[in-house]
Amino acid sequence: MEKIKLENMDRSDLHDFFQSYFPAPYGRNLDALHDILSCLSTPLTIELDEPSLLAKLGDRYYDNLLRMLRDTAEENPNLTVLA
């Protein structure tokens, strides 16, 4: 199982990371990230460092990211989210 930790990233850094992590074309937004994560066929754990992400992303975007990741993890058992 692969594990990635998201920490100390602003929006641009976050989307840069996922654009380089996934080989598929990526639209650099949360909807596109949801689409990619819903199709995972191998286990992946995403750990979020809440304090550093909140500081860089802001409350609203962090909340939207966390909500999307949790919803996607409910849809796809290959995704685990630690926050």
Side-chain angles (χ1 to χ4, degrees), residues 3-8 14 18 45-54 57 61-67 69-70 80-83:
K3 182 176 181 179
I4 57 176
K5 184 172 184 176
L6 302 179
E7 59 185 339
N8 203 28
L14 177 77
F18 282 114
T45 297
I46 299 177
E47 181 179 352
L48 287 83
D49 179 48
E50 183 176 359
S52 71
L53 288 173
L54 273 171
L57 294 173
Y61 202 79
Y62 177 81
D63 289 345
N64 289 337
L65 171 66
L66 183 57
R67 185 177 314 112
L69 289 172
R70 286 180 172 161
T80 302
V81 177
L82 305 174

Side-chain angles (χ1 to χ4, degrees), residues 11-62:
R11 283 188 201 193
S12 182
D13 296 335
L14 177 77
H15 293 297
D16 287 347
F17 172 80
F18 282 114
Q19 189 168 16
S20 67
Y21 189 84
F22 294 111
Y26 171 61
R28 297 183 61 85
N29 61 60
L30 295 180
D31 288 335
L33 183 55
H34 166 78
D35 292 344
I36 289 173
L37 294 173
S38 344
C39 297
L40 286 177
S41 58
T42 58
L44 175 66
T45 297
I46 299 177
E47 181 179 352
L48 287 83
D49 179 48
E50 183 176 359
S52 71
L53 288 173
L54 273 171
K56 293 280 192 156
L57 294 173
D59 292 343
R60 180 181 239 174
Y61 202 79
Y62 177 81

